[in-house]
Amino acid sequence: MIADNLVVDARTGRRTTWGELVQQSGPRPSPTAHVVEHSVDALPAVAALEDGGELLVVAAGRLDEALAEELRGAGFDLVAGGDVQGATSHRAAEDGRVWLLTSGSTGRPKRVGHTLASLSTVTGELAPRTWLCPYSPGTYAWWQVITLGLGVPGQDLVLVDPADLDDWVTPALEHGVTAVSGTPTFWRRTLMRHGAELRKLPLEQVTLGGEPVDQAVLTQLGEVFPEARVSWIYASSEVGASIVVHDGRAGFPVEWLDRDVPGRPRLSVVDGELVITSPHHGVDASGAELAGAVRTGDAARIEDGRVLVTGRLDRDELNVGGSKVSAGAVRDLLQSHPDVAWASVRGRKAPLVGTMVVADVVAGQGSDVNPDDLTRWAAERLPEYAVPRRIKMLAEIPAKETLKSDV
């Protein structure tokens, strides 16, 4: 632990250090699920992991009755402020174990186990930076930023709760933020809402992850922050941070496929699916390692020497009258339109062809682009069967607490 790294709660303006946080808590003898309203509330328990204990952090908004009973049955005490609900099945804590909950996009959230070491994938020295952490407490992305502040010298944190993200630029300017990590949805909403104000931020590092990253948003961020390194990361609870790209381009070089480099993940594409064998893998709820080749469930295609990760495999491939359409490819095309801030593409049942392509679109600030304009524009660039047949214009970019929308 880097005791003098700084942590700032943007909500209250309170500034503290990890050295002070570790004095506020100690390891509990039982596995503990800390239920928190705000990111900063979890940090004393995180700091206490240096001395042992077994920890899961979950945002209060995610904890429904079924999940609470499941965790208590798995041996976790639920701690929310001063309130403790004891486990219904007791066991000793596994010192140093950190549990994450998956997003639950394919069903109920699953527990994946890590350690601070497996969550801390940064190697080498980093320039001193002040990071904005906008993520929901306990998610993999949240832990990635938190472990930077906990374990890497010179990495200070400014914590902003997801509920307060409409105005994150103000505290970022106030507290000297120089690095920001967020999903593409987070960045698109920010670009749309804050515009010129963003250029006041002296950012040195801009990071995207958690959703498919397309060229349009990378290009926009490069233009707004010309002095910053713009990077995207592919990471998940199961395989850790497995792909990191710094060249400002969507996708990763095709030369990275099927190569074996000690200490680095092995990347493959099998039947259109991204497959990863990672040294940063976690364990499942039974403690069994998630080692070996992991089928990620994410669609990947090779185009112009790059491997593009386009979205969840079960949602990406649409069958339109016997012709295959990538929903992610159509989405990326729509998002490359100069008057489009965001797009989501999916299939809808239709007579004769079985499925037709439909889209939701948010126009850029001040744009009067309409569905007919976009349909004609797409028809000039896509096969006839891939052109969206219905386009619905939305007033604003939707976002969940996870900062994701089209996942």
Side-chain angles (χ1 to χ4, degrees), residues 133-147:
C133 181
Y135 295 108
S136 180
T139 60
Y140 184 85
W142 182 84
W143 276 106
Q144 283 284 281
V145 181
I146 294 300
T147 54

Side-chain angles (χ1 to χ4, degrees), residues 116-403:
L116 288 178
S118 68
L119 289 168
S120 306
T121 55
V122 172
T123 57
E125 294 185 6
L126 290 183
R129 290 189 176 124
T130 299
W131 286 85
L132 185 90
C133 181
Y135 295 108
S136 180
T139 60
Y140 184 85
W142 182 84
W143 276 106
Q144 283 284 281
V145 181
I146 294 300
T147 54
L148 271 177
L150 181 68
V152 182
Q155 308 304 303
D156 297 331
L157 305 182
V158 176
L159 304 181
V160 178
D161 292 320
D164 301 326
L165 283 179
D166 285 349
D167 189 32
W168 70 263
V169 176
T170 299
L173 286 166
E174 179 183 351
H175 298 295
V177 166
T178 60
V180 181
S181 174
T183 63
T185 293
F186 164 86
W187 282 113
R188 289 184 187 281
R189 286 168 63 98
T190 295
L191 290 163
M192 188 175 178
R193 293 184 178 204
H194 296 286
E197 187 183 7
L198 277 179
R199 298 180 185 272
K200 300 176 185 177
L201 283 171
L203 295 191
E204 301 166 0
Q205 176 66 50
V206 171
T207 303
L208 301 87
E211 293 177 298
V213 179
D214 62 291
Q215 190 58 53
V217 72
L218 291 170
T219 299
Q220 290 172 349
L221 289 169
E223 291 170 350
V224 172
F225 304 112
E227 302 303 316
R229 183 176 70 171
V230 179
S231 310
W232 72 266
I233 295 176
Y234 180 94
S236 74
S237 303
E238 292 88 347
V239 299
S242 297
I243 305 171
V244 183
V245 181
H246 298 305
D247 64 6
R249 297 178 60 193
F252 60 89
V254 71
E255 291 81 11
W256 291 9
L257 287 176
D258 302 313
R259 66 176 185 176
D260 295 303
V261 179
R264 293 191 178 183
R266 189 178 198 273
L267 312 174
S268 303
V269 175
V270 179
D271 298 328
E273 180 179 8
L274 181 65
V275 177
I276 298 177
T277 305
S278 174
H280 312 306
H281 61 77
V283 301
D284 66 17
S286 71
E289 292 196 5
L290 298 170
V294 173
R295 301 188 74 101
T296 64
D298 286 317
R301 73 178 192 273
I302 298 173
E303 184 176 295
D304 298 329
R306 307 286 286 193
V307 180
L308 304 177
V309 184
T310 55
R312 298 301 294 171
L313 193 64
D314 58 352
R315 304 176 202 175
D316 185 70
E317 187 175 290
L318 309 178
N319 189 325
V320 181
S323 298
K324 292 182 179 180
V325 177
S326 165
V330 178
R331 177 200 62 228
D332 291 351
L333 177 79
L334 289 172
Q335 290 183 155
S336 71
H337 189 289
D339 291 325
V340 170
W342 173 89
S344 173
V345 174
R346 64 191 182 279
R348 177 181 292 178
K349 289 183 179 180
L352 301 181
V353 294
T355 300
M356 68 178 179
V357 181
V358 298
D360 294 333
V361 171
V362 177
Q365 203 103 31
S367 169
D368 58 0
V369 70
N370 61 52
D372 290 341
D373 296 334
L374 294 173
T375 299
R376 285 192 296 269
W377 187 82
E380 295 172 357
R381 293 162 173 81
L382 291 171
E384 186 273 339
Y385 56 81
V387 176
R389 298 304 169 193
R390 294 182 186 175
I391 297 179
K392 180 181 179 181
M393 305 301 294
L394 304 182
E396 63 178 23
I397 300 172
K400 305 173 185 176
E401 188 182 47
T402 56
L403 311 187

